[in-house]
Amino acid sequence: MALTLNWKLAFVALLVLLFQASRATSRSLYEASMIQKHELWMARSGRAYKDDVEKAKRFTIFKDNAEYIDSVNKAGIKPYKLDINEFADLTNEEFRASHNGYRMPSQHKPSEITSFKYENVTAPSTMDWRKEGVVTGVKDQGQCGCCWAFSAVAATEGINKIKTGKLISLSEQELVDCDTSSDMGCEGGLMDDAFKFIIKNHGLTTESNYPYEGRDGTCKTGKESNHAAEITSYEDVPANSESALLKAVANQPVSVAIDASGSDFQFYSSGVFTGECGTELDHGVTAVGYGEASDGTKYWLVKNSWGTSWGENGYIRMQRNIDAEEGLCGIAMQASYPTA
């Protein structure tokens, strides 16, 4: 009897050891798979680290982000997808610090211009200014928090095309270097302040004449005087009104500020974004249209400045007509557009 009992205990112990060994093997295979995924991602993104310590740190962040992305996609409860993009080895805090840059005013000041020229306009059911040849290609601000400059430039490029028939890529770097009285280059700024500078400066030069460098620089006297496009004024869209924003976007690309602080925004890949976000506006982008998805969800078509590898070739569709008056991620809170 004792021998039988000892044999059973030994057999159970063996099963436990085999189970633990199997789990360990599974973990090692999983880790190896993730390491391989990180190596492939590094090669694709052109990423290199200064030493093994930094690489180990970045791998841990990459692994956490990859697992989060996988969990969201596998859950299948959201109408959008996430993906491992070029920001996958950054924490959300690091990402926000380096890729946003809209300075939300401590208290909202009413526009100096009280009119809203599109108040009585009837907007069409859909709009995509890209199809009208009014939008330049998606640009990449890199690790410089000057989203405000890209947003203001995109809106200026749009109205210039509408008024003159010429689509000209304008210089964000001119704003970064020269618009220093109110805005702070890579440390952040406001689109309205950028419009004020463009008006006072009598326009902006071209991207090719004053190319983007992704860092703060000294204003290059002479280059900035060769203006390629001008605006005469700007207007704020009535705040907290998606219907007013719709009328504005129906007539031209519009600068908008949003709360882009969430991880879902960082790793957005496709679909209509309905993700959780607040109204702590921290990123300037450009609304270049609107429409309705196949499932009936209405959306804003938004041009970003994080390159074409992010989102839908650099764009995001954000849910429109939500219950909150400020719109998803605060998109209707502080919208504005230049006039020419």
Side-chain angles (χ1 to χ4, degrees):
M1 184 72 177
L3 288 173
T4 302
L5 181 61
N6 288 338
W7 180 86
K8 288 182 177 179
L9 289 174
F11 181 71
V12 170
L14 178 62
L15 287 177
V16 170
L17 287 172
L18 289 172
F19 176 71
Q20 289 176 340
S22 174
R23 290 190 63 185
T25 302
S26 297
R27 282 198 302 272
S28 65
L29 287 173
Y30 171 77
E31 293 295 340
S33 175
M34 187 62 73
I35 289 170
Q36 184 180 37
K37 190 178 293 186
H38 184 229
E39 292 289 345
L40 291 171
W41 174 86
M42 286 176 60
R44 185 187 70 185
S45 304
R47 188 78 89 248
Y49 303 115
K50 62 181 181 180
D51 54 35
D52 289 342
V53 174
E54 178 67 14
K55 185 176 181 180
K57 174 185 175 182
R58 291 298 155 189
F59 169 73
T60 300
I61 296 169
F62 177 90
K63 176 176 174 290
D64 290 344
N65 285 333
E67 289 174 344
Y68 173 75
I69 290 165
D70 190 52
S71 68
V72 170
N73 290 340
K74 280 186 175 179
I77 59 176
K78 297 180 179 179
Y80 58 90
K81 295 293 184 182
L82 308 183
D83 197 8
I84 297 174
N85 56 30
E86 64 180 288
F87 312 127
D89 68 343
L90 298 176
T91 66
N92 184 249
E93 292 75 16
E94 290 172 330
F95 177 76
R96 295 200 314 265
S98 61
H99 287 81
N100 294 351
Y102 178 83
R103 289 191 297 108
M104 189 171 179
S106 55
Q107 50 180 284
H108 180 62
K109 297 180 179 179
S111 171
E112 296 172 4
I113 304 166
T114 57
S115 63
F116 177 48
K117 65 185 296 184
Y118 300 126
E119 184 175 359
N120 297 316
V121 166
T122 300
S125 58
T126 63
M127 173 55 69
D128 186 342
W129 282 111
R130 298 175 301 181
K131 295 179 180 179
E132 304 299 321
V134 172
V135 185
T136 59
V138 170
K139 303 179 184 182
D140 190 348
Q141 69 185 75
Q143 295 190 23
C144 169
C146 62
C147 57
W148 57 274
F150 282 83
S151 173
V153 162
T156 302
E157 291 169 341
I159 194 61
N160 183 64
K161 164 64 177 176
I162 292 169
K163 294 297 183 181
T164 70
K166 298 177 181 178
L167 182 62
I168 303 171
S169 182
L170 301 174
S171 174
E172 291 84 11
Q173 193 66 42
E174 182 178 356
L175 285 173
V176 172
D177 291 351
C178 306
D179 176 20
T180 55
S181 59
S182 299
D183 294 315
M184 299 187 297
C186 292
E187 299 303 312
L190 298 170
M191 286 80 82
D192 280 6
D193 288 340
F195 293 144
K196 291 175 185 176
F197 171 84
I198 297 169
I199 295 164
K200 184 178 180 180
N201 195 51
H202 304 293
L204 284 177
T205 192
T206 63
E207 184 86 43
S208 59
N209 186 50
Y210 203 145
Y212 185 65
E213 297 178 359
R215 58 184 175 83
D216 293 323
T218 303
C219 188
K220 296 175 177 60
T221 306
K223 283 183 176 283
E224 81 283 1
S225 62
N226 186 14
H227 301 140
E230 298 182 1
I231 59 174
T232 58
S233 187
Y234 77 94
E235 293 181 358
D236 285 345
V237 178
N240 299 324
S241 171
E242 286 198 272
S243 61
L245 181 57
L246 187 80
K247 292 179 179 180
V249 178
N251 286 275
Q252 66 182 94
V254 175
S255 288
V256 292
I258 58 174
D259 182 341
S261 61
S263 292
D264 283 16
F265 209 96
Q266 180 177 345
F267 300 116
Y268 167 80
S269 174
S270 63
V272 178
F273 183 78
T274 60
E276 296 179 8
C277 50
T279 56
E280 293 297 315
L281 309 178
D282 64 355
H283 190 46
V285 289
T286 314
V288 298
Y290 53 85
E292 185 173 318
S294 57
D295 65 356
T297 305
K298 295 181 178 180
Y299 64 81
W300 296 107
L301 176 63
V302 175
K303 181 185 184 184
N304 203 351
S305 53
W306 293 342
T308 55
S309 64
W310 179 88
E312 296 180 330
N313 297 314
Y315 289 84
I316 182 171
R317 287 179 291 159
M318 298 177 61
Q319 187 178 13
R320 176 167 60 93
N321 284 8
I322 68 169
D323 291 337
E325 61 180 8
E326 64 270 14
L328 186 69
C329 306
I331 194 171
M333 291 175 66
Q334 292 183 17
S336 58
Y337 54 87
T339 60

